[in-house]
């Protein structure tokens, strides 16, 4: 494999002076031009992972361990100011809420041009380039739209503006944190298509965060499954769907509603994610796991390779036999 | 009251307890409450604490600077400033408190009428807008002057000036509360409109009102002083914070202490009330943080 | 935008009509006969009747009212009994004085208040925040006329930096004007500095918590850029909406401060009128200040629509 463009190693973040752990020992790599999907339920630490890489953690959250290596350089070792310089150039991010992520009293074109201006592009050229970017993200009549304000745009259009802002940086790594979640279903599909197209065209290295496995199937090359702040499983997308190794991944797959499934058979995962203040000692999934053994409650399993490109954090990964449907029903 | 939908005003003790415990942990509130309590005690026991009769004048002790006998000096009639301040606080604080109460009653009646009885809303509030167009202090001065200088008239004047804004605040909370579920429930259970208003809507609009009245109390002390300074405050010889300053002004160069100390007395009282108001606002009315 | 303005202006006219009625009606509050203030007890019934006629008090209330409306529509606020001249002329003559005092104070209050508020918000919960907030609280708690006296005592009597009072028109001597206006304007501004600082801080803190600030951060903008381009423009919107209230408070405060510094403005005219029961002056003065207040607030609303693009849609 080539050298990853982004490599996160042993990332651990804590809240409230270290008493509460949000992310624990999270590691993964992102190859140039690759799309890594990150899935997990709400509260699993997905957004915290994105913000950690960006260096945008909220004040109360602290990174206590880990390296974030972007193109050979450990961002975590940089001063906050040097890290900031990477944002809007090497790193860019698309947020979940297009309704609130844009400055309400600033013209949308200016919000894109701002990023270009940082790179030393003169104002006039930045304005032209903004219009080009608007065209790229398929905003109709871009010449007029650049002068509009966010409240004049629909949610989908605003998210396109956010994407234009991210593209303006021409980033080495783009992080998209649930970019379609807040949108209407039809708009979701459009934005997803757009992102996929832009990713292909530009060879973007993309970390795509979502709670929706359906979206993952459409866009991701590899998938990282996050559970309660830990990596449960990481594998190519095909293997995640065809041969999941972690019981949690399986349960997630089983919970996807399918059109051909009889009504009333919607599978949900029993129990709830442990609350962040009261994490159990052993495997965090143990309380909900139908395959639980005594050891699961004693020690937390390390992420271990199951095959050359698939790893799971389970004392007893499924291996390559057929999934035991009855155990999940 | 239905057992299912709980009315925050009539629900169990725990919300009250919750508010009390949050107040105790609020620094602004505790400092403010301490100051206000201290001043209130000084005022209550002015008769015992004051070293001299605040009204007794004596030519021999005229314009004495502060010393061991007259801690804060004397004025041009030879009256002890400390004693006058202690008794002056009585009048100033009474005016402040009564103004707050009068404004509370008037503001609640007007605000609740506007907020609860829809057809009256527009006319009543336009009237309040009109009153608010006059600078409040000027309105108070004009009303006090026209009615004639006396303690009750000063209170009326200050209440007229502070009521419109209070009414507006009450109306705003009434508008929010009246749409809430427990009010609908009370109505559905057959409560009359007036009962709904007094029993359910007003108690829940109380928080912002209490906060506002604390600030009115503070403002009224400042305004009383200004009125006295202009010459339309409580009539002499009884001292109030403002009248002591007004009299001292003519002797500012030779006897600045007459003017200096009452100013600090006003500031400490108003500061205490403002802190108290800030603390109450943090706890009772998180919507309107400023 | 046009509809928003039309609605706003129509509303202002309703309030204006009420305000003019109230200014006039203050005379009805007078216990007993308003003429008593001008005539001693020995006045003949003819003298009383003549004065009542002069004040229009011999007419039914409704006629008095209509007459008043008719006159103010022509800009006639009546005749001052004591000054023996037109109230309109007397006010207009003193208006520039009061407006320059309030204007300088407003400028000072906005500059000092907004900067202090930003400093506090940016250093949230650290010492600069605490210093600013404590100072703001003192500003809100100090009696302004007393502060004025203290400044006179310190800066004029003791150190002779400024004159103890009086006013020099700017047209006569710009430096002298500045000299005469600095201390009163500072005194007048203190309360409003406290108010605006608290307001700006709260507004800024709220804005800094919003998502678009994180977006700006993700763009790699510096802290200063984020504050100036994204934080401040949003934080100033609510501050702007209270500028009208501040202007009103400054006009009211000016009445007292003019008294402290012996400045011959509209405030002193009205106070003089109030103390000598010169009713046309009281009525005219009240109306005049209220009209200015309404005008300022209308202007603020229009400005608000200009600053915040969201308002224009309505």
């Amino acid at each position: 494999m080539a050298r990853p463009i982004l490599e996160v190693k042993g990332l651990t973040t804590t809240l409230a002076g270290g008493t509460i752990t949000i992310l624990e020992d999270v590691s993964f790599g992102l190859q140039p031009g690759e799309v890594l999907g990150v899935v997990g339920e709400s509260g699993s630490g997905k957004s915290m992972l994105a913000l950690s890489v960006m260096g945008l953690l909220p004040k109360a959250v602290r990174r206590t361990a880990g390296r974030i290596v972007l193109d050979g350089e450990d961002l975590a070792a940089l001063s906050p100011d040097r890290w900031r310089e990477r944002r809007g150039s090497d790193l860019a991010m698309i947020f979940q809420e297009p309704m609130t992520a844009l400055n309400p009293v600033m013209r949308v074109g200016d919000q894109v041009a701002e990023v270009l201006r940082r790179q030393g592009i003169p104002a006039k050229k930045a304005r032209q380039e903004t219009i080009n970017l608007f065209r790229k993200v398929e905003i109709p009549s871009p010449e007029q739209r650049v002068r509009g304000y966010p409240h004049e745009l629909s949610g989908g259009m605003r998210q396109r503006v956010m994407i234009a802002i991210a593209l303006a940086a021409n980033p080495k790594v783009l992080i998209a944190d649930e970019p379609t979640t807040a949108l209407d279903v039809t708009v979701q599909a459009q934005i997803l298509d757009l992102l996929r197209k832009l990713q292909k065209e530009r060879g973007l290295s993309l970390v795509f965060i979502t709670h929706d496995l359906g979206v993952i199937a459409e866009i991701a090359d590899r998938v990282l499954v996050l559970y309660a702040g830990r990596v449960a499983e990481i594998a190519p997308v095909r293997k995640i769907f065809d041969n999941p190794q972690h019981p949690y991944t399986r349960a997630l797959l089983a919970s996807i509603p399918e059109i051909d499934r009889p009504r009333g058979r919607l599978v949900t995962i029993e129990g709830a994610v442990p609350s962040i203040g009261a994490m159990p000692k052993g495997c965090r999934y143990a309380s909900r796991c139908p395959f639980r053994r005594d050891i699961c409650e004693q020690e937390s399993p390390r992420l271990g390779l199951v095959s050359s490109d698939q790893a799971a954090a389970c004392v007893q990964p499924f291996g390559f036999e057929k999934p035991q449907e009855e155990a999940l029903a | 009251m239905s057992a299912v939908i709980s009315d925050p005003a009539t629900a169990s003790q725990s919300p009250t307890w919750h508010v009390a415990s949050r107040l105790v942990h609020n620094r602004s509130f505790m400092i403010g409450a301490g100051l206000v309590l201290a001043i209130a005690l000084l005022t209550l026991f002015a008769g015992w604490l004051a070293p001299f009769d605040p009204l007794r004048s004596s030519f021999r002790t005229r314009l004495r600077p502060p010393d061991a006998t007259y801690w804060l000096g004397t004025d041009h009639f030879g009256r002890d400033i400390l004693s006058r301040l202690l008794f002056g606080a009585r009048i100033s604080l009474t005016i402040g408190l009564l103004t707050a109460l009068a404004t509370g009653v008037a503001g609640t009646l007007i605000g609740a009428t506007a907020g609860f009885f829809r057809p009256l809303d527009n006319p009543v509030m336009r009237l309040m807008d009109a009153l608010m167009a006059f600078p409040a202090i000027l309105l108070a001065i004009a009303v006090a002057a026209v009615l004639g200088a006396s303690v009750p008239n000063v209170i009326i004047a200050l209440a007229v000036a502070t009521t419109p804004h209070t009414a507006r605040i009450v109306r705003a909370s009434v508008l929010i509360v009246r749409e809430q579920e427990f009010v609908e429930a009370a109505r559905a259970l057959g409560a009359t409109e007036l009962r709904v208003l007094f029993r359910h809507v007003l108690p829940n609009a109380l928080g912002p009102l209490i906060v506002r009245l604390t600030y009115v109390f503070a403002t009224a002390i400042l305004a009383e002083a200004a009125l006295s300074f202009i010459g339309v405050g409580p009539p002499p010889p009884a001292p109030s914070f403002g009248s002591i300053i007004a009299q001292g002004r003519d002797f500012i160069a030779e006897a600045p202490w007459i003017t200096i100390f009452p100013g600090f007395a006003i500031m400490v009282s108003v500061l205490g009330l403002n802190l108290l108001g800030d603390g109450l606002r943090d706890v009772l009315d998180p919507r309107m943080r400023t | 935008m046009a509809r928003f303005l039309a609605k706003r202006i129509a509303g202002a006219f309703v309030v204006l009509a009420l305000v003019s009625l109230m200014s006039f009606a203050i005379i009805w509050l007078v216990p007993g006969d308003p003429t008593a203030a001008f005539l001693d007890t020995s006045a003949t019934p003819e003298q009383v009747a003549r004065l009542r006629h002069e004040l229009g008090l011999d007419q039914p209330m409704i006629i008095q009212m209509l007459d008043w409306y008719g006159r103010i529509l022509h800009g006639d606020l009546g005749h001052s009994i004591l000054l023996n001249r037109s109230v309109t002329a007397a006010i207009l003559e003193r208006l520039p004085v009061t407006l320059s005092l309030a204007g300088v104070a407003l400028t000072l209050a906005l500059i000092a208040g907004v900067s202090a508020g930003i400093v506090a918000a940016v250093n949230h919960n650290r010492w600069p925040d605490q210093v600013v907030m404590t100072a703001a609280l003192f500003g809100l708690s100090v009696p302004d006329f007393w502060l004025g006296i203290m400044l006179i005592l310190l800066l004029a009597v003791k150190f002779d930096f400024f004159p103890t009072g009086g006013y020099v028109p700017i047209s006569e001597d710009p430096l002298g004007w500045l000299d005469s206006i600095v201390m009163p304007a500072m005194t007048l501004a203190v309360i409003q500095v406290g108010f605006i600082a608290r307001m700006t801080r709260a507004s800024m803190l709220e804005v800094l918590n919003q998502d678009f600030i994180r977006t700006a951060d993700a763009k790699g903008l510096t802290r200063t850029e984020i504050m100036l381009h994204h934080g401040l423009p949003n934080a100033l919107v609510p501050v702007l909406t209270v500028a009208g209230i501040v202007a009103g408070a400054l006009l009211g405060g000016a009445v007292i401060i003019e008294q402290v510094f012996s400045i011959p403005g509209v405030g002193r005219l009205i106070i003089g009128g109030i103390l000598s029961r010169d009713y046309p002056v009281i009525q005219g003065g009240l109306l005049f200040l209220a009209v200015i207040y309404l005008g300022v607030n209308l202007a603020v609303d229009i400005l608000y629509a200009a600053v915040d693009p969201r308002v224009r849609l309505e």
Side-chain angles (χ1 to χ4, degrees), chain A residues 58-81:
Chain A
K59 273 202 191 96
V61 180
R62 189 145 292 158
R63 191 190 62 253
T64 49
R67 297 201 293 155
I68 296 160
V69 183
L70 177 71
D71 204 10
E73 180 182 41
D74 184 8
L75 298 176
L78 294 179
S79 71
D81 230 33

Side-chain angles (χ1 to χ4, degrees), chain B residues 145 249 259-260 263 274-275 278, chain C residues 137 141 146 198 260 274 277:
Chain B
R249 198 199 166 193
T259 311
I260 292 175
N274 277 337
L275 280 166
D278 287 356
Chain C
L137 198 64
S141 306
W146 175 79
R198 280 162 60 123
V260 176
I274 286 175
R277 309 237 159 176

Side-chain angles (χ1 to χ4, degrees), chain A residues 226-249:
Chain A
L226 212 53
Y227 184 81
R230 285 188 191 160
V231 179
E233 182 163 3
I234 182 164
V237 65
R238 200 178 27 78
K239 291 195 173 175
I240 285 286
F241 281 91
D242 293 348
N243 204 342
Q245 291 300 310
H246 197 284
Y248 175 63
T249 313

Side-chain angles (χ1 to χ4, degrees), chain A residues 84 100-101 103 111 114 118, chain C residues 211 215 217 219-220 230 234:
Chain A
R84 176 184 60 71
T100 53
N103 183 341
Q111 303 193 40
E114 197 174 33
R118 264 199 69 220
Chain C
D211 285 357
T215 306
D217 214 349
K219 287 176 182 174
H230 296 276
N234 281 283

Side-chain angles (χ1 to χ4, degrees), chain B residues 146-147, chain C residues 20-34 55-66 68-69 279 283:
Chain B
V146 164
L147 292 178
Chain C
S20 18
L21 178 59
M22 285 175 180
S23 322
F24 180 72
I26 195 140
I27 203 167
W28 296 337
L29 282 180
V30 183
D33 190 336
L55 288 169
L57 292 169
D58 53 345
Q59 304 286 327
M61 271 187 180
I62 184 86
I63 301 291
Q64 290 182 30
M65 233 177 71
L66 289 176
W68 163 252
Y69 275 125
Y279 292 103
Q283 294 169 326

